[in-house]
Amino acid sequence: MAAPRYGSPLKRAVTFYIPLVLMVGLTLFPFYWMVITSIRPDVELYNVKANPFFTLYPTLQHFHDLFELTMFARWAWNTLFIAVVSTAISLFCGLLAGYALARLQFRWASPLGTMIFITYLVPPTLLFIPLGDVVKTFGIGDTPWAVILTYPTFLIPFCTWLLMGYFKTIPREIEECARIDGASRIQAMIRISFPLAVPGILSAGIFAFTLSWNEFLYALVFLSSPQQKTIPIGVFTELVRGDVFYWGPLMAGALLGSIPVALVYSFFVEHYVTALTGAVKG
Amino acid sequence: MADQRIEPILAERASAAASVVPASVAVAVPEARRPTRLGQLLEREHILAGALLAPTLVILTLFIAYPFVLGIWLAVSDKVVGRPGNFVGLQNFWVNVNDTIFLRAFQNTFVYTFIATALKLALGMGAALLLNHHFRFKRIVRAGMLLPWIVPTVLSTLAWQWMFDATFSVFNWTLMNVGLISKRILWLGDGTMAMGCLILVNVWRGMPFFAITLLAGLQTVNPDLHEAAEIDGANAWQRFWRVTLPLIKPIMMVVVLFSMIATFADFQLIYVLTRGGPYSSTHVFGTYAYEIAMRAAQLGQGASISLSLFPFLLAVIVFQLWYIRRSD
Amino acid sequence: MAKSGGVTRLDRRAFLRVTGAATGVAVASGIPAIVAAQKAPSFPKGTRLHILEWVSFVPASDKEFKRLAGEFGKLAGVDVTVEFINMNDLNPKIASAIETKAGPDIIMMLQNWPHLYADGLADVDDVAEEIGKRDGGFYDIVRNVSVVGKTWKSVPLAMGTPAWAYREDWFKEVGAAKFPDTWDELRTVGAKLKKKDHPLGQAFGHSLGDPNQWAYPVTWSFGGMEVDKNGKVVINSKETVEALKFTVAFWKDCLDEGGLAWDDTSNNRAYLAGTISATINGASIYFVAKRQFPDIAKVTNHGHMPRGPAGRFYSIQGQGHGIMKYSKNQQVAREFLRWFMDRPQYDPWFAANDGYVNGPTTYWEKHALWEQDLKLVPFKEAPRYGRWPGYPGPPSRKTSEALVKYILVDMYAQAIKGMKPEDAARWAEAELKKIYGA
């Protein structure tokens, strides 16, 4: 295993457990804050004197409000659908393109790689208006496809480049051995290189999924009907009422919009960590 | 060799991939001999490359080519919402360089990007090394680490806003009760302090992705190499520096690069937390371009602000591309 | 309100009007208008009306709007969708809709947006003039933000007015029986309050609402202005410097130091938490207090913006509805707005706002709701002193640009942060000249 070994328990505490606890604590504190806010009664939220770290009167009212006041369940479904499909599209394209750019010798490799990358450079704050024209031309405004097909514009470049990086870390010789054994170019790619790139595929997938899950501007502009909205748009645009924030439901929405995803990710992360260890050892 | 469990999944995906390929080449190939001819064709690297790149190029051309060109056109036009624009050459850029807010945003963008990226890399690497150990609750910790990155940015930033609030800041409450401060700290009340807070939130949000991606990279490092180095007498630091780092460098470079670009163009976080205030001291390109293009409806001027980043990003990318290619 | 009786009567009227509108279609197809009028609502089947509204600060207002829109849909046989978006996110939706020529048929217009988006908006002279004539004429502010050139580009809906919300109990403790009438008096009272740890609160950050509610009226009340009547930049004046000096002193003596970091929501929270004793805001603070913090509501009252050497001023937010030029349903949109702005429909909506908004015409000053809660009187009276951003210059795109760049707000914020008032005024002058071009 890659895990280093340690000497004394004391040394392990200093070099490992203390940093770990610090890191986890700092990372999760804001999260803890969201949890507390989401179960705290409104009256307490506005009390400066109250201890902000816990509440004696927890309530599920805000969760209830979230579902009552908004179409949260529907938004969650939309977000999931959009994120899954656009991630699948981007991974598929990115995997093939990343392999081609990293492994194959052809004249246009360098300029094409740069071009794919450049599309990632133009900020969405500039792109969304002309992109709106494209969306209109295809007649997909206010449908999930408006964002499913536009998200890949920034997901594909990332997936391509990340996977390019992974393909570089896989020794060329492994593939060459297979070819000597009689595998065709494509077979070598599919049977040898792709499986070795699984960690890269998963981390690109996680990245793409999260970006789709979070995306704000395109979803704001291309989706209109309340039943088409995604979680970030729906929660943010309907629960921020001018100068009054609905803190409880806002934070409840943030929690419900992230915990299930974290659980799924943890499964993937474990999976690719073991998969990979096996691959390198084997 | 690859893990048995993944093999079938990949084979399936690959067959899907393969099925795309014939479609793009089929025209020229006679029906009966297709498999062999196709096989032969795909043995040629440039043809295979074309086939593999096709889906990407199709999507990008369909969706981004026109907006991209139009975006550049906007930057050299006086376009405002609802009216056709006229070509004005570089006038928008001239206006920008004489605009104090723009110059401030320019400086902020670089400060924000470089400090945040450096911190994310350092902390993310640290986190990845820690998570690469075996310990109890490993799974749950790894899942928990990802949370900041999954919560929709606009919403987690609202939570931070509440934590930095002038009246309700939980940090102030804590520091006061511990007795470290007697007067509240106005986290977002001063340009420098507010910039620090923005960087903090950005790092908090972006670090997990660094950690997880680098963790994946660490996993590709063959432990035998470490053992060999250890036998040669290298200490942990040397092993990291000489063995691990060079091996995960390609991945690291890509992650850093993408993170930098995303941070350069960051918008949501600043938009929610400070909107560029107080007194325009925390504007970055993204937010300032948005104010001008959206709020003042001057699409041309806004586009020119967005595009001012372009040369810098391009330089970074050309360097990156050259670097990655060089390692061949 | 005599809602139920009113509504039924109304329905018939509305019905007639809607069918009247359809006569155009009917005549064209050769059917006499009268026959058409007797038939069920007569827009072609499948006609849709898409309305984009802000998320109102008063939830009941959205509910009522949605209800009325639904009612119109039934009467006119039109499929009505109402989309609500929080006010800060309306701009990108509007820009994108106009540029791609697709999207909602009616969009809410805030502040002086009709000037900003004039090229994408249909003329609505007919509807607006009709309302104005019927209801005693529009306020000047409303006219100024909605009329571009000589054409109405938005059908005025209401005005969002601010006033000082203040704690009567704390003000009494320092000897102020009512809200001070001049800035100097307020400063004296405020200083006493701050000493007692009850500062006043005012935002100087970047958000559309509150920071501007200080920057514009205070400048005006000291006699300063961004531009003169002809649009010439005159911000760098003795008067502006006085306003700046006053603000800096007021900041030190009276205000909560958090203000530089505040946005529109901060003063609401601070007031409800009892950390500030007064702040400029719409009635939303009071409404939330009535619902959730009755003890605070009881001791809350509202006061006018104080007078300065040049008088009393308010910066008032116009609200209206623009019909999009690209819309294929302009006729339906017009009928909807005409119907909605008619008294029987507007009345329940106005009542649902409970004093948060003023009607666009003087007629609504006489509404019964103003009698119900006397604490809201300053809101009713505010429009008399109301001006538009850029006053006394004509509203224009340039005005909007100055507003969205927060030039006045930042002028004050920088002075508060230590810049010399003279330098702050000079800075603002330079920035405004870039916008106005002279």
Side-chain angles (χ1 to χ4, degrees), chain B residues 79 82-83 98 100 161-162 165 184 186 271 275 279-280 290 295 298, chain C residues 88-89 91-92 99 116 119 206 256-257 263 269 397 401 410 417 431 434:
Chain B
K79 173 102 180 105
R83 272 185 218 165
N98 286 306
T100 47
Q161 195 187 25
W162 183 243
D165 189 277
R184 65 192 160 139
L186 299 170
Y271 178 69
R275 282 182 199 283
Y279 47 91
S280 300
Y290 183 87
R295 296 232 188 282
Q298 300 179 335
Chain C
N88 285 309
D89 295 316
N91 298 105
E99 284 301 307
L116 212 50
D119 300 297
H206 278 191
D256 182 299
E257 291 94 6
D263 62 18
R269 291 199 288 269
R397 275 175 183 277
E401 193 183 339
D410 283 356
K417 260 300 185 190
E431 290 298 315
K434 271 184 232 157

mmCIF file of all heavy atoms in Angstrom, chain B residues 79 82-83 98 100 161-162 165 184 186 271 275 279-280 290 295 298, chain C residues 88-89 91-92 99 116 119 206 256-257 263 269 397 401 410 417 431 434:
data_model
loop_
_atom_site.group_PDB
_atom_site.id
_atom_site.type_symbol
_atom_site.label_atom_id
_atom_site.label_comp_id
_atom_site.label_asym_id
_atom_site.label_seq_id
_atom_site.Cartn_x
_atom_site.Cartn_y
_atom_site.Cartn_z
ATOM 1 N N LYS B 79 -21.887 48.184 -28.358
ATOM 2 C CA LYS B 79 -23.192 47.544 -28.189
ATOM 3 C C LYS B 79 -23.781 47.787 -26.802
ATOM 4 O O LYS B 79 -23.129 47.605 -25.784
ATOM 5 C CB LYS B 79 -23.015 46.048 -28.427
ATOM 6 C CG LYS B 79 -24.225 45.214 -28.127
ATOM 7 C CD LYS B 79 -24.951 44.819 -29.388
ATOM 8 C CE LYS B 79 -26.174 43.974 -29.090
ATOM 9 N NZ LYS B 79 -27.417 44.676 -29.227
ATOM 10 N N GLY B 82 -30.329 46.003 -26.615
ATOM 11 C CA GLY B 82 -31.466 46.438 -27.407
ATOM 12 C C GLY B 82 -31.106 47.218 -28.661
ATOM 13 O O GLY B 82 -31.961 47.482 -29.483
ATOM 14 N N ARG B 83 -29.851 47.638 -28.789
ATOM 15 C CA ARG B 83 -29.458 48.393 -29.976
ATOM 16 C C ARG B 83 -28.341 47.672 -30.700
ATOM 17 O O ARG B 83 -27.502 47.060 -30.058
ATOM 18 C CB ARG B 83 -28.900 49.751 -29.569
ATOM 19 C CG ARG B 83 -29.948 50.813 -29.429
ATOM 20 C CD ARG B 83 -29.270 52.132 -29.137
ATOM 21 N NE ARG B 83 -30.070 52.870 -28.176
ATOM 22 C CZ ARG B 83 -29.620 53.919 -27.499
ATOM 23 N NH1 ARG B 83 -28.385 54.322 -27.660
ATOM 24 N NH2 ARG B 83 -30.409 54.543 -26.646
ATOM 25 N N ASN B 98 -8.255 53.650 -18.304
ATOM 26 C CA ASN B 98 -8.369 54.936 -17.620
ATOM 27 C C ASN B 98 -9.392 54.897 -16.492
ATOM 28 O O ASN B 98 -9.765 55.931 -15.950
ATOM 29 C CB ASN B 98 -8.773 56.014 -18.620
ATOM 30 C CG ASN B 98 -7.617 56.374 -19.504
ATOM 31 O OD1 ASN B 98 -6.545 56.721 -19.026
ATOM 32 N ND2 ASN B 98 -7.807 56.254 -20.809
ATOM 33 N N THR B 100 -10.413 53.858 -12.851
ATOM 34 C CA THR B 100 -9.778 53.453 -11.588
ATOM 35 C C THR B 100 -10.378 52.162 -11.041
ATOM 36 O O THR B 100 -9.677 51.335 -10.466
ATOM 37 C CB THR B 100 -9.936 54.545 -10.516
ATOM 38 O OG1 THR B 100 -11.290 54.976 -10.511
ATOM 39 C CG2 THR B 100 -9.025 55.714 -10.776
ATOM 40 N N GLN B 161 -21.710 34.660 4.533
ATOM 41 C CA GLN B 161 -22.106 36.049 4.720
ATOM 42 C C GLN B 161 -22.667 36.247 6.128
ATOM 43 O O GLN B 161 -22.385 37.219 6.806
ATOM 44 C CB GLN B 161 -23.156 36.418 3.674
ATOM 45 C CG GLN B 161 -23.350 37.899 3.548
ATOM 46 C CD GLN B 161 -24.520 38.223 2.632
ATOM 47 O OE1 GLN B 161 -25.435 37.427 2.456
ATOM 48 N NE2 GLN B 161 -24.474 39.393 2.037
ATOM 49 N N TRP B 162 -23.434 35.299 6.535
ATOM 50 C CA TRP B 162 -24.046 35.324 7.861
ATOM 51 C C TRP B 162 -22.961 35.203 8.939
ATOM 52 O O TRP B 162 -23.019 35.837 9.980
ATOM 53 C CB TRP B 162 -25.033 34.166 7.907
ATOM 54 C CG TRP B 162 -25.883 33.958 9.118
ATOM 55 C CD1 TRP B 162 -25.856 32.865 9.930
ATOM 56 C CD2 TRP B 162 -26.923 34.793 9.625
ATOM 57 N NE1 TRP B 162 -26.798 32.978 10.903
ATOM 58 C CE2 TRP B 162 -27.469 34.149 10.748
ATOM 59 C CE3 TRP B 162 -27.443 36.044 9.240
ATOM 60 C CZ2 TRP B 162 -28.518 34.698 11.497
ATOM 61 C CZ3 TRP B 162 -28.472 36.577 9.984
ATOM 62 C CH2 TRP B 162 -29.003 35.908 11.098
ATOM 63 N N ASP B 165 -21.240 38.488 9.155
ATOM 64 C CA ASP B 165 -22.159 39.609 9.344
ATOM 65 C C ASP B 165 -21.658 40.560 10.428
ATOM 66 O O ASP B 165 -21.152 40.154 11.466
ATOM 67 C CB ASP B 165 -23.530 39.066 9.727
ATOM 68 C CG ASP B 165 -24.582 40.161 9.716
ATOM 69 O OD1 ASP B 165 -24.697 40.890 10.718
ATOM 70 O OD2 ASP B 165 -25.270 40.271 8.697
ATOM 71 N N ARG B 184 -15.868 44.397 18.058
ATOM 72 C CA ARG B 184 -16.083 43.453 16.963
ATOM 73 C C ARG B 184 -15.193 43.773 15.758
ATOM 74 O O ARG B 184 -14.842 44.930 15.525
ATOM 75 C CB ARG B 184 -17.543 43.467 16.554
ATOM 76 C CG ARG B 184 -17.976 44.774 15.985
ATOM 77 C CD ARG B 184 -19.485 44.826 15.882
ATOM 78 N NE ARG B 184 -19.900 46.208 15.791
ATOM 79 C CZ ARG B 184 -20.862 46.637 14.981
ATOM 80 N NH1 ARG B 184 -21.530 45.775 14.262
ATOM 81 N NH2 ARG B 184 -21.178 47.901 14.942
ATOM 82 N N LEU B 186 -14.905 44.007 11.787
ATOM 83 C CA LEU B 186 -15.803 44.162 10.645
ATOM 84 C C LEU B 186 -15.184 43.444 9.458
ATOM 85 O O LEU B 186 -14.398 44.010 8.711
ATOM 86 C CB LEU B 186 -16.034 45.635 10.364
ATOM 87 C CG LEU B 186 -16.685 46.352 11.535
ATOM 88 C CD1 LEU B 186 -16.674 47.839 11.336
ATOM 89 C CD2 LEU B 186 -18.097 45.839 11.763
ATOM 90 N N TYR B 271 -19.926 38.027 -5.993
ATOM 91 C CA TYR B 271 -21.227 38.614 -6.275
ATOM 92 C C TYR B 271 -22.148 38.493 -5.058
ATOM 93 O O TYR B 271 -22.886 39.415 -4.724
ATOM 94 C CB TYR B 271 -21.823 37.896 -7.483
ATOM 95 C CG TYR B 271 -23.191 38.348 -7.895
ATOM 96 C CD1 TYR B 271 -23.390 39.606 -8.448
ATOM 97 C CD2 TYR B 271 -24.288 37.507 -7.758
ATOM 98 C CE1 TYR B 271 -24.636 40.012 -8.848
ATOM 99 C CE2 TYR B 271 -25.541 37.904 -8.160
ATOM 100 C CZ TYR B 271 -25.720 39.157 -8.701
ATOM 101 O OH TYR B 271 -26.964 39.553 -9.094
ATOM 102 N N ARG B 275 -20.383 41.918 -3.592
ATOM 103 C CA ARG B 275 -20.769 42.639 -4.809
ATOM 104 C C ARG B 275 -19.744 43.689 -5.194
ATOM 105 O O ARG B 275 -20.093 44.739 -5.729
ATOM 106 C CB ARG B 275 -22.108 43.333 -4.614
ATOM 107 C CG ARG B 275 -23.258 42.409 -4.718
ATOM 108 C CD ARG B 275 -24.564 43.132 -4.559
ATOM 109 N NE ARG B 275 -25.570 42.175 -4.216
ATOM 110 C CZ ARG B 275 -26.136 41.354 -5.097
ATOM 111 N NH1 ARG B 275 -25.805 41.424 -6.353
ATOM 112 N NH2 ARG B 275 -27.013 40.480 -4.708
ATOM 113 N N TYR B 279 -16.872 50.323 -1.318
ATOM 114 C CA TYR B 279 -16.311 51.266 -2.296
ATOM 115 C C TYR B 279 -15.482 50.593 -3.395
ATOM 116 O O TYR B 279 -14.333 50.943 -3.622
ATOM 117 C CB TYR B 279 -15.514 52.404 -1.621
ATOM 118 C CG TYR B 279 -14.518 51.983 -0.551
ATOM 119 C CD1 TYR B 279 -13.196 51.710 -0.874
ATOM 120 C CD2 TYR B 279 -14.908 51.870 0.766
ATOM 121 C CE1 TYR B 279 -12.302 51.306 0.092
ATOM 122 C CE2 TYR B 279 -14.015 51.463 1.728
ATOM 123 C CZ TYR B 279 -12.713 51.175 1.379
ATOM 124 O OH TYR B 279 -11.832 50.773 2.345
ATOM 125 N N SER B 280 -16.091 49.673 -4.093
ATOM 126 C CA SER B 280 -15.475 49.020 -5.260
ATOM 127 C C SER B 280 -14.101 48.453 -4.986
ATOM 128 O O SER B 280 -13.279 48.348 -5.883
ATOM 129 C CB SER B 280 -15.363 49.998 -6.442
ATOM 130 O OG SER B 280 -16.626 50.439 -6.794
ATOM 131 N N TYR B 290 -19.783 42.144 -15.039
ATOM 132 C CA TYR B 290 -21.215 41.892 -14.851
ATOM 133 C C TYR B 290 -21.966 43.190 -14.544
ATOM 134 O O TYR B 290 -23.021 43.462 -15.112
ATOM 135 C CB TYR B 290 -21.391 40.886 -13.723
ATOM 136 C CG TYR B 290 -22.815 40.479 -13.471
ATOM 137 C CD1 TYR B 290 -23.381 39.428 -14.183
ATOM 138 C CD2 TYR B 290 -23.585 41.115 -12.510
ATOM 139 C CE1 TYR B 290 -24.688 39.036 -13.944
ATOM 140 C CE2 TYR B 290 -24.888 40.728 -12.274
ATOM 141 C CZ TYR B 290 -25.445 39.693 -12.987
ATOM 142 O OH TYR B 290 -26.731 39.316 -12.753
ATOM 143 N N ARG B 295 -25.913 45.448 -15.367
ATOM 144 C CA ARG B 295 -26.641 46.503 -14.669
ATOM 145 C C ARG B 295 -26.679 47.791 -15.483
ATOM 146 O O ARG B 295 -27.676 48.481 -15.488
ATOM 147 C CB ARG B 295 -26.017 46.752 -13.311
ATOM 148 C CG ARG B 295 -26.115 45.562 -12.419
ATOM 149 C CD ARG B 295 -26.706 45.941 -11.089
ATOM 150 N NE ARG B 295 -26.608 44.818 -10.182
ATOM 151 C CZ ARG B 295 -27.424 43.775 -10.214
ATOM 152 N NH1 ARG B 295 -28.423 43.746 -11.084
ATOM 153 N NH2 ARG B 295 -27.266 42.785 -9.383
ATOM 154 N N GLN B 298 -24.349 47.848 -20.782
ATOM 155 C CA GLN B 298 -23.355 48.135 -21.819
ATOM 156 C C GLN B 298 -22.589 46.874 -22.156
ATOM 157 O O GLN B 298 -21.521 46.611 -21.621
ATOM 158 C CB GLN B 298 -22.382 49.201 -21.318
ATOM 159 C CG GLN B 298 -23.101 50.487 -20.972
ATOM 160 C CD GLN B 298 -22.154 51.528 -20.459
ATOM 161 O OE1 GLN B 298 -21.093 51.206 -19.938
ATOM 162 N NE2 GLN B 298 -22.537 52.780 -20.587
ATOM 163 N N ASN C 88 -32.236 41.323 -7.713
ATOM 164 C CA ASN C 88 -30.874 41.461 -8.195
ATOM 165 C C ASN C 88 -30.587 40.606 -9.421
ATOM 166 O O ASN C 88 -29.624 40.848 -10.129
ATOM 167 C CB ASN C 88 -29.885 41.091 -7.088
ATOM 168 C CG ASN C 88 -29.798 42.186 -6.063
ATOM 169 O OD1 ASN C 88 -29.608 43.344 -6.403
ATOM 170 N ND2 ASN C 88 -29.990 41.832 -4.804
ATOM 171 N N ASP C 89 -31.401 39.596 -9.642
ATOM 172 C CA ASP C 89 -31.125 38.707 -10.767
ATOM 173 C C ASP C 89 -32.014 38.973 -11.971
ATOM 174 O O ASP C 89 -32.038 38.195 -12.922
ATOM 175 C CB ASP C 89 -31.237 37.249 -10.315
ATOM 176 C CG ASP C 89 -30.163 36.903 -9.299
ATOM 177 O OD1 ASP C 89 -29.016 37.301 -9.519
ATOM 178 O OD2 ASP C 89 -30.473 36.272 -8.279
ATOM 179 N N ASN C 91 -31.773 41.664 -14.007
ATOM 180 C CA ASN C 91 -31.048 42.275 -15.131
ATOM 181 C C ASN C 91 -30.553 41.278 -16.181
ATOM 182 O O ASN C 91 -30.785 41.497 -17.368
ATOM 183 C CB ASN C 91 -29.869 43.120 -14.646
ATOM 184 C CG ASN C 91 -30.322 44.261 -13.794
ATOM 185 O OD1 ASN C 91 -30.167 44.236 -12.584
ATOM 186 N ND2 ASN C 91 -30.900 45.268 -14.395
ATOM 187 N N PRO C 92 -29.862 40.226 -15.766
ATOM 188 C CA PRO C 92 -29.387 39.307 -16.814
ATOM 189 C C PRO C 92 -30.543 38.668 -17.580
ATOM 190 O O PRO C 92 -30.418 38.428 -18.784
ATOM 191 C CB PRO C 92 -28.586 38.255 -16.049
ATOM 192 C CG PRO C 92 -28.954 38.407 -14.624
ATOM 193 C CD PRO C 92 -29.367 39.830 -14.448
ATOM 194 N N GLU C 99 -31.904 40.626 -26.076
ATOM 195 C CA GLU C 99 -30.912 40.313 -27.094
ATOM 196 C C GLU C 99 -31.295 39.108 -27.932
ATOM 197 O O GLU C 99 -31.026 39.074 -29.129
ATOM 198 C CB GLU C 99 -29.549 40.083 -26.445
ATOM 199 C CG GLU C 99 -28.870 41.359 -26.008
ATOM 200 C CD GLU C 99 -28.640 42.307 -27.168
ATOM 201 O OE1 GLU C 99 -28.047 41.868 -28.166
ATOM 202 O OE2 GLU C 99 -29.076 43.471 -27.092
ATOM 203 N N LEU C 116 -33.049 52.262 -19.529
ATOM 204 C CA LEU C 116 -31.963 51.351 -19.843
ATOM 205 C C LEU C 116 -32.361 50.397 -20.964
ATOM 206 O O LEU C 116 -31.559 50.038 -21.811
ATOM 207 C CB LEU C 116 -31.649 50.558 -18.570
ATOM 208 C CG LEU C 116 -30.247 50.110 -18.296
ATOM 209 C CD1 LEU C 116 -29.271 51.252 -18.445
ATOM 210 C CD2 LEU C 116 -30.183 49.551 -16.856
ATOM 211 N N ASP C 119 -35.005 50.410 -25.874
ATOM 212 C CA ASP C 119 -35.004 49.888 -27.237
ATOM 213 C C ASP C 119 -35.640 48.512 -27.355
ATOM 214 O O ASP C 119 -35.975 48.081 -28.443
ATOM 215 C CB ASP C 119 -33.567 49.828 -27.766
ATOM 216 C CG ASP C 119 -32.935 51.193 -27.768
ATOM 217 O OD1 ASP C 119 -33.435 52.054 -28.498
ATOM 218 O OD2 ASP C 119 -31.978 51.410 -26.996
ATOM 219 N N HIS C 206 -22.267 47.695 -1.387
ATOM 220 C CA HIS C 206 -22.818 47.674 -2.730
ATOM 221 C C HIS C 206 -24.079 46.852 -2.791
ATOM 222 O O HIS C 206 -24.031 45.647 -2.866
ATOM 223 C CB HIS C 206 -21.796 47.079 -3.709
ATOM 224 C CG HIS C 206 -20.776 48.075 -4.166
ATOM 225 N ND1 HIS C 206 -19.916 47.842 -5.190
ATOM 226 C CD2 HIS C 206 -20.498 49.312 -3.727
ATOM 227 C CE1 HIS C 206 -19.139 48.904 -5.362
ATOM 228 N NE2 HIS C 206 -19.472 49.807 -4.477
ATOM 229 N N ASP C 256 -23.709 52.904 13.257
ATOM 230 C CA ASP C 256 -23.077 51.618 13.545
ATOM 231 C C ASP C 256 -21.922 51.413 12.561
ATOM 232 O O ASP C 256 -22.092 51.568 11.348
ATOM 233 C CB ASP C 256 -24.135 50.525 13.343
ATOM 234 C CG ASP C 256 -23.619 49.137 13.665
ATOM 235 O OD1 ASP C 256 -22.653 48.684 13.005
ATOM 236 O OD2 ASP C 256 -24.190 48.504 14.558
ATOM 237 N N GLU C 257 -20.733 51.061 13.077
ATOM 238 C CA GLU C 257 -19.554 50.966 12.208
ATOM 239 C C GLU C 257 -19.650 49.828 11.200
ATOM 240 O O GLU C 257 -18.809 49.707 10.326
ATOM 241 C CB GLU C 257 -18.256 50.777 13.011
ATOM 242 C CG GLU C 257 -17.831 51.963 13.814
ATOM 243 C CD GLU C 257 -18.349 51.866 15.235
ATOM 244 O OE1 GLU C 257 -18.934 50.804 15.548
ATOM 245 O OE2 GLU C 257 -18.205 52.818 16.011
ATOM 246 N N ASP C 263 -25.309 45.204 3.350
ATOM 247 C CA ASP C 263 -26.105 45.221 2.134
ATOM 248 C C ASP C 263 -27.558 45.494 2.535
ATOM 249 O O ASP C 263 -27.827 45.846 3.676
ATOM 250 C CB ASP C 263 -25.954 43.916 1.358
ATOM 251 C CG ASP C 263 -26.436 42.717 2.149
ATOM 252 O OD1 ASP C 263 -27.185 42.913 3.134
ATOM 253 O OD2 ASP C 263 -26.078 41.594 1.800
ATOM 254 N N ARG C 269 -31.797 43.037 9.751
ATOM 255 C CA ARG C 269 -31.388 42.090 10.791
ATOM 256 C C ARG C 269 -30.965 42.826 12.055
ATOM 257 O O ARG C 269 -31.373 42.468 13.163
ATOM 258 C CB ARG C 269 -30.202 41.252 10.303
ATOM 259 C CG ARG C 269 -30.526 40.292 9.225
ATOM 260 C CD ARG C 269 -29.458 39.206 9.146
ATOM 261 N NE ARG C 269 -28.193 39.660 8.600
ATOM 262 C CZ ARG C 269 -27.890 39.614 7.304
ATOM 263 N NH1 ARG C 269 -28.760 39.152 6.446
ATOM 264 N NH2 ARG C 269 -26.719 40.010 6.894
ATOM 265 N N ARG C 397 -29.991 56.624 -19.725
ATOM 266 C CA ARG C 397 -29.070 55.507 -19.533
ATOM 267 C C ARG C 397 -27.910 55.905 -18.643
ATOM 268 O O ARG C 397 -27.407 55.130 -17.856
ATOM 269 C CB ARG C 397 -28.462 55.135 -20.876
ATOM 270 C CG ARG C 397 -29.258 54.206 -21.688
ATOM 271 C CD ARG C 397 -28.578 54.040 -23.034
ATOM 272 N NE ARG C 397 -29.389 53.179 -23.868
ATOM 273 C CZ ARG C 397 -29.356 51.853 -23.804
ATOM 274 N NH1 ARG C 397 -28.533 51.266 -22.988
ATOM 275 N NH2 ARG C 397 -30.146 51.128 -24.557
ATOM 276 N N GLU C 401 -26.193 54.271 -15.331
ATOM 277 C CA GLU C 401 -24.811 53.826 -15.213
ATOM 278 C C GLU C 401 -24.187 54.372 -13.927
ATOM 279 O O GLU C 401 -23.506 53.658 -13.203
ATOM 280 C CB GLU C 401 -24.009 54.266 -16.437
ATOM 281 C CG GLU C 401 -22.670 53.574 -16.510
ATOM 282 C CD GLU C 401 -21.830 54.060 -17.681
ATOM 283 O OE1 GLU C 401 -22.389 54.614 -18.636
ATOM 284 O OE2 GLU C 401 -20.604 53.880 -17.610
ATOM 285 N N ASP C 410 -20.080 55.213 -3.278
ATOM 286 C CA ASP C 410 -18.647 55.061 -3.046
ATOM 287 C C ASP C 410 -17.989 56.377 -2.652
ATOM 288 O O ASP C 410 -17.009 56.395 -1.915
ATOM 289 C CB ASP C 410 -17.964 54.478 -4.295
ATOM 290 C CG ASP C 410 -18.213 52.986 -4.419
ATOM 291 O OD1 ASP C 410 -18.848 52.433 -3.493
ATOM 292 O OD2 ASP C 410 -17.794 52.373 -5.412
ATOM 293 N N LYS C 417 -14.123 56.325 4.965
ATOM 294 C CA LYS C 417 -12.901 55.552 5.189
ATOM 295 C C LYS C 417 -11.684 56.449 5.357
ATOM 296 O O LYS C 417 -10.583 55.977 5.528
ATOM 297 C CB LYS C 417 -12.675 54.600 4.004
ATOM 298 C CG LYS C 417 -13.118 53.177 4.294
ATOM 299 C CD LYS C 417 -12.340 52.612 5.467
ATOM 300 C CE LYS C 417 -12.636 51.170 5.745
ATOM 301 N NZ LYS C 417 -12.061 50.708 7.020
ATOM 302 N N GLU C 431 -15.374 60.482 -12.164
ATOM 303 C CA GLU C 431 -16.105 59.279 -12.591
ATOM 304 C C GLU C 431 -17.360 59.662 -13.374
ATOM 305 O O GLU C 431 -17.683 59.063 -14.387
ATOM 306 C CB GLU C 431 -16.495 58.438 -11.363
ATOM 307 C CG GLU C 431 -15.326 57.776 -10.667
ATOM 308 C CD GLU C 431 -14.593 56.784 -11.558
ATOM 309 O OE1 GLU C 431 -15.268 55.985 -12.235
ATOM 310 O OE2 GLU C 431 -13.352 56.819 -11.584
ATOM 311 N N LYS C 434 -16.776 60.783 -16.886
ATOM 312 C CA LYS C 434 -16.543 59.695 -17.828
ATOM 313 C C LYS C 434 -17.878 59.176 -18.354
ATOM 314 O O LYS C 434 -17.990 58.741 -19.488
ATOM 315 C CB LYS C 434 -15.798 58.554 -17.128
ATOM 316 C CG LYS C 434 -14.301 58.692 -17.207
ATOM 317 C CD LYS C 434 -13.628 57.488 -16.579
ATOM 318 C CE LYS C 434 -12.621 57.928 -15.554
ATOM 319 N NZ LYS C 434 -12.338 56.878 -14.575
#
